[in-house]
Amino acid sequence: MIVLGIETSCDDTGIAIYHSTRGLLGHGLYSQTLIHSDYGGVVPELASRDHIRHILPILKQTLKSTNIKLENLHAIAFTQGPGLAGALLVGASFASALSFALKIPAIGVHHLEGHLFSPFLSTKPPLFPFIALLISGGHTQLMEVHNVGQYKLLGETVDDAAGEAFDKTAKLLGLGYPGGPALSKLADAFSMSGKKNNFLLPRPMLHSGNLNFSFSGLKTAVLTLSNKYKMTQKIKMEIAHAFQEAVIDVLTKKSIEALKQTGINQLVVAGGVSANKRLRENLANHTKKMGTSIFYPRQEFCTDNGAMIALAGSLRLQKNSQLIKNNFTVKPRWDLKEYEIESNK
Ligand code: KG4
Ligand code: ZN
């Protein structure tokens, strides 16, 4: 079974071709970062227009590099939501047109399910059940995953997502957009210097007694510091480091709590923030004695891409091909729970 994957939920145009037994055959990605950086965030209308410009050339390129013809495809998986309505519509209409022309199903995939299974693109995927820490620009969730479409939400952010907090803090430090990777680089540079950090930021909701998160207060704490001190490069590095340590401490401790509460010893960490080196290092250090196996996507598949959508579509297809309906709707706001209920009807 060969599935084409299409991702256009935000500012990355991703296309991939996935073979259900041979794995990922190839993929292409175009990032719109440069277009949006002047505005300090994603401009939805510009995002939609740019997806239109790039989707066909990337498809052609991916077909060529994989030596696959359109007629070889068995299904098309596209991100149906959540995301920016206009951007999603580009992928949905493109997928629907192709599916009508080729007479093959178009599968609407939930973006978070794509992230959730992105480590399955690697050679040694986890077995069910596992705990998933989903940390992206729009979501921060801890979940118990029992199978494709069988999820139990254990906790989530009550305000900003982890990636959003990285981006907003980076903006305060003048690091551009999206600032997550730049902030992390600055924080790591401070660590390497071996100097003592004079700043200690709060660990929000660490002792809340549940598995929820809150990150908006951290951004305010950084704003207070940035108003108080002259923003020299040294101070910026120190603040970046203090911020990263606070976020990582909370993400690590809540993940460990989820593993302990459920007795599950496999952890999947996915979404853009899973690319963070310091997080990976901290999780490894703190779970060493627990015998936990941790699974990450490959670096290139941490942030948005078409490969994870093709894979999620392929998993859905294998689970129940009867469920696949051709539809041309998008769901800019879409709870993973609703998706699960709809698909198990
Ligand atoms: O999963 P993703 O591509 O988009 C959403 O679905 O939201 O995640 C993007 C987010 C951005 O907020 C970006 O700043 C963050 O992931 N990010 C990072 C790192 N790389 C990407 N945050 C911290 N450290 C990184 N190395
Ligand atoms: Zn994403």
Side-chain angles (χ1 to χ4, degrees):
M1 197 81 85
I2 302 176
V3 180
L4 174 73
I6 301 174
E7 157 62 36
T8 63
S9 68
C10 190
D11 58 350
D12 292 295
T13 317
I15 296 279
I17 299 178
Y18 185 84
H19 190 291
S20 54
T21 51
R22 286 164 55 204
L24 184 67
L25 301 183
H27 77 110
L29 189 73
Y30 177 80
S31 165
Q32 303 177 353
T33 307
L34 273 178
I35 294 173
H36 303 291
S37 60
D38 284 351
Y39 303 92
V42 178
V43 183
E45 182 56 26
L46 295 184
S48 315
R49 290 184 206 179
D50 213 47
H51 284 307
I52 294 173
R53 254 192 297 273
H54 289 100
I55 196 163
L56 190 56
I58 302 176
L59 172 65
K60 284 183 176 168
Q61 214 176 61
T62 312
L63 288 169
K64 198 171 166 205
S65 68
T66 52
N67 219 358
I68 295 283
K69 298 200 167 37
L70 282 177
E71 305 80 69
N72 301 136
L73 300 173
H74 296 104
I76 302 163
F78 65 97
T79 306
Q80 195 173 14
L84 302 170
L88 288 167
L89 270 170
V90 177
S93 50
F94 192 77
S96 296
L98 267 181
S99 101
F100 279 121
L102 301 169
K103 298 188 177 54
I104 55 175
I107 311 163
V109 167
H110 195 292
H111 182 78
L112 282 188
E113 191 166 81
H115 277 303
L116 184 63
F117 290 110
S118 56
F120 283 60
L121 290 161
S122 305
T123 41
K124 194 182 161 285
L127 299 171
F128 295 113
F130 56 81
I131 297 295
L133 173 67
L134 281 184
I135 34 178
S136 69
H139 292 84
T140 299
Q141 297 188 334
L142 267 168
M143 269 192 291
E144 204 176 304
V145 179
H146 288 273
N147 209 323
V148 178
Q150 287 176 23
Y151 316 122
K152 183 175 169 196
L153 184 67
L154 300 173
E156 63 185 335
T157 182
V158 297
D159 42 52
D160 289 354
E164 188 181 0
F166 263 92
D167 293 340
K168 286 179 175 171
T169 303
K171 202 169 175 181
L172 286 173
L173 299 179
L175 301 177
Y177 172 86
L183 188 151
S184 163
K185 229 168 147 181
L186 210 59
D188 292 346
F190 183 81
S191 279
M192 297 284 284
S193 74
K195 290 185 188 133
K196 185 182 169 293
N197 198 331
N198 294 309
F199 301 124
L200 181 70
L201 291 179
R203 270 59 175 158
M205 290 185 78
L206 191 58
H207 303 293
S208 59
N210 57 31
L211 295 170
N212 287 339
F213 304 88
S214 165
F215 294 113
S216 67
L218 270 177
K219 170 195 67 198
T220 315
V222 169
L223 180 65
T224 311
L225 286 180
S226 64
N227 286 333
K228 195 167 164 193
Y229 292 90
K230 189 165 177 281
M231 282 288 113
T232 60
Q233 184 66 2
K234 184 181 164 287
I235 295 283
K236 279 187 189 179
M237 282 169 87
E238 245 175 305
I239 295 179
H241 178 263
F243 169 84
Q244 179 167 270
E245 288 303 303
V247 174
I248 282 168
D249 195 16
V250 178
L251 291 175
T252 303
K253 290 193 173 138
K254 297 257 173 178
S255 300
I256 289 175
E257 191 49 39
L259 291 162
K260 284 187 178 158
Q261 278 181 20
T262 56
I264 293 174
N265 66 356
Q266 294 182 106
L267 176 68
V268 157
V269 187
V273 184
S274 70
N276 189 285
K277 280 203 210 97
R278 176 72 188 118
L279 172 68
R280 293 184 178 207
E281 180 187 275
N282 204 49
L283 276 168
N285 286 343
H286 284 81
T287 54
K288 216 183 284 168
K289 289 195 186 118
M290 296 166 57
T292 307
S293 306
I294 310 184
F295 301 84
Y296 297 97
R298 266 159 44 190
Q299 281 285 332
E300 61 185 318
F301 298 138
C302 288
T303 44
D304 295 347
N305 63 84
M308 66 182 196
I309 302 304
L311 169 75
S314 169
L315 292 172
R316 285 274 163 189
L317 208 56
Q318 284 169 47
K319 197 181 166 218
N320 192 350
S321 56
Q322 299 304 310
L323 287 170
I324 310 305
K325 297 179 200 108
N326 285 51
N327 54 35
F328 182 12
T329 53
V330 293
K331 300 179 179 183
R333 299 177 75 86
W334 195 12
D335 200 319
L336 192 54
K337 196 79 207 154
E338 275 171 43
Y339 179 50
E340 196 185 327
I341 295 165
E342 280 165 33
S343 43
N344 285 315
K345 260 182 207 158

